[in-house]
Amino acid sequence: MKHMGRPKSTRVTVRDIAAAAGVSPATVSRVLTGQAVVAEETRAAVRTAMERLGSPEPAAPRRTARPGAVFVRCPYLLTDYFGTIVTAVAEALDRHGRELILSAGSSAQHNGALTGLARRRDLAGALLVLPVEDSAALEQLRRQDIPFVVIDPRTPVPRDIAAVSASHFTGARNLTAHLVALGHRRIGFINGPEDWLASTSRHAGHTAALAEAGVLIPPDLVTHIEPTSDWGHTAAARLLDLPRPPTALVAFNDKAAVGALRAAHERGLRVPTDLSIAGFDDDYLSRTSIPTLTTVRQPLEELGGLAVSLLLRLIEGTALEALHVELATELIVRDSTGPVPDGRNRRNGTT
């Protein structure tokens, strides 16, 4: 027995009516609301489709964006790297008419501000820059129904938490591949703190580039530091004083690379004639050092702007297509890297 029409249990949508009438969903909406002039022939076609299929289900009301300011937490000094991100965040929030409440500086690592967010009625959401909390603490915050986005995660972030970062793995791989192409095989790697996600990703990228050249990294060529000029100087000095020193150094950031330049100068090494040095970030130091630094540009302003866009969508109740977003990095070749010094074997890092 043939059944005619749609089953009663099937929900009719505006798209169903539009398909049956041969018009756009927007035209159906105009007919339903009566807010715009529609040709009578078109109006009749929509009504005929509705008589045959039934009236469409009313659309779910759009969730009103929750009012309030955005809490921005950056528990570090707002110098070049973090200052650039926070400035981009502030400008993006201002464009959207959102007030910013900032918690910054090293004291913010211990003030317990995150635990009280759920009780604050003046906040619409939060942006967390390189948070010191682990994934369990972030998951607990998510369960409190506070919209938030993590910028440059310090540790792995749960899948259901929005996060934006730069492509640390690809950036590091491209930088080391640049040195490999110049003939370097024995490359000192001055990495960041061991428990930082960026450090892990960059080490993996560095390792991958050397592996493609058939080189394994000797353990004595890898060190972990706090990302400052002084720590970079100390680490570079140790590497350059090895019985078989490296022909190139890769530093975790441009500050550490500037410290490495100082260590090279103290030992009478010319950069890049005797030693190549590269950094990461492409901050102002990379453009003002002597020589200027080969580095990897991190899209810091873009990270801040994207994080704001994602947060505002969460505040509005809009689902995100992707929760973890990586932005591309860019290799910037300047004057601090050059061919491996004469007399150095290009195979297996031997001298």
Side-chain angles (χ1 to χ4, degrees):
M1 177 172 160
K2 188 176 180 181
H3 293 278
M4 304 298 293
R6 297 172 61 94
K8 292 184 178 180
S9 59
T10 302
R11 298 176 61 182
V12 179
T13 67
V14 168
R15 290 186 179 276
D16 295 330
I17 300 297
V23 299
S24 70
T27 298
V28 175
S29 297
R30 294 188 186 100
V31 173
L32 292 172
T33 60
Q35 294 179 356
V37 176
V38 179
E40 186 56 39
E41 181 181 352
T42 302
R43 191 183 301 274
V46 171
R47 287 173 175 165
T48 299
M50 290 174 59
E51 290 173 359
R52 180 160 54 89
L53 299 179
S55 298
E57 294 280 344
R62 182 180 177 89
R63 175 177 165 180
T64 303
R66 55 197 294 174
V70 171
F71 180 77
V72 178
R73 179 168 177 266
C74 181
Y76 310 93
L77 295 177
L78 297 182
T79 53
D80 38 33
Y81 181 89
F82 295 109
T84 301
I85 293 176
V86 172
T87 298
V89 165
E91 291 176 346
L93 288 174
D94 183 66
R95 288 194 296 269
H96 289 88
R98 287 281 181 175
E99 182 183 358
L100 178 151
I101 297 177
L102 177 64
S103 174
S106 56
S107 61
Q109 298 184 16
H110 312 290
N111 61 11
L114 294 191
T115 59
L117 288 185
R119 297 189 297 272
R120 295 188 57 165
R121 301 304 177 191
D122 59 332
L123 297 180
L127 293 168
L128 311 179
V129 183
L130 197 69
V132 297
E133 289 77 16
D134 59 17
S135 58
L138 295 177
E139 183 64 35
Q140 182 178 3
L141 180 62
R142 187 196 64 79
R143 290 196 295 267
Q144 296 175 0
D145 197 31
I146 300 294
F148 70 94
V149 176
V150 176
I151 303 175
D152 195 11
R154 180 166 169 165
T155 58
V157 174
R159 290 185 176 182
D160 55 354
I161 291 177
V164 297
S165 64
S167 181
H168 296 288
F169 174 89
T170 303
R173 182 179 61 185
N174 291 342
L175 180 57
T176 299
H178 162 68
L179 292 171
V180 168
L182 291 171
H184 296 278
R185 297 296 184 269
R186 190 165 173 81
I187 303 172
F189 191 60
I190 304 173
N191 204 359
E194 288 190 76
D195 60 344
W196 284 20
L197 185 60
S199 300
T200 303
S201 297
R202 292 188 198 174
H203 184 266
H206 176 69
T207 301
L210 286 173
E212 291 172 1
V215 178
L216 296 178
I217 306 175
D220 63 342
L221 289 186
V222 178
T223 184
H224 291 271
I225 65 166
E226 292 297 320
T228 68
S229 178
D230 287 342
W231 278 80
H233 172 266
T234 300
R238 184 189 70 78
L239 292 169
L240 294 176
D241 289 341
L242 290 172
R244 294 174 55 231
T247 64
L249 297 175
V250 173
F252 183 75
N253 63 2
D254 294 333
K255 289 181 182 179
V258 167
L261 285 174
R262 180 157 54 97
H265 177 73
E266 292 169 350
R267 286 156 179 77
L269 297 173
R270 299 164 298 168
V271 178
T273 303
D274 303 318
L275 175 73
S276 288
I277 295 177
F280 210 100
D281 289 348
D282 190 32
D283 65 20
Y284 76 96
L285 289 173
S286 67
R287 299 182 289 275
T288 58
S289 64
I290 301 175
T292 55
L293 280 172
T294 291
T295 187
V296 172
R297 179 184 178 271
Q298 288 209 68
L300 303 182
E301 295 180 356
E302 294 89 335
L303 285 175
L306 176 60
V308 170
S309 297
L310 295 179
L311 178 63
L312 293 179
R313 294 184 65 184
L314 290 175
I315 290 173
E316 294 171 353
T318 304
L320 302 180
E321 292 82 5
L323 286 174
H324 291 189
V325 181
E326 280 192 356
L327 296 183
T329 54
E330 179 185 0
L331 174 66
I332 306 295
V333 178
R334 295 197 178 101
D335 298 333
S336 65
T337 53
V340 67
D342 292 340
R344 302 296 181 95
N345 195 313
R346 296 190 177 197
R347 293 181 299 167
N348 301 324
T350 58
T351 59

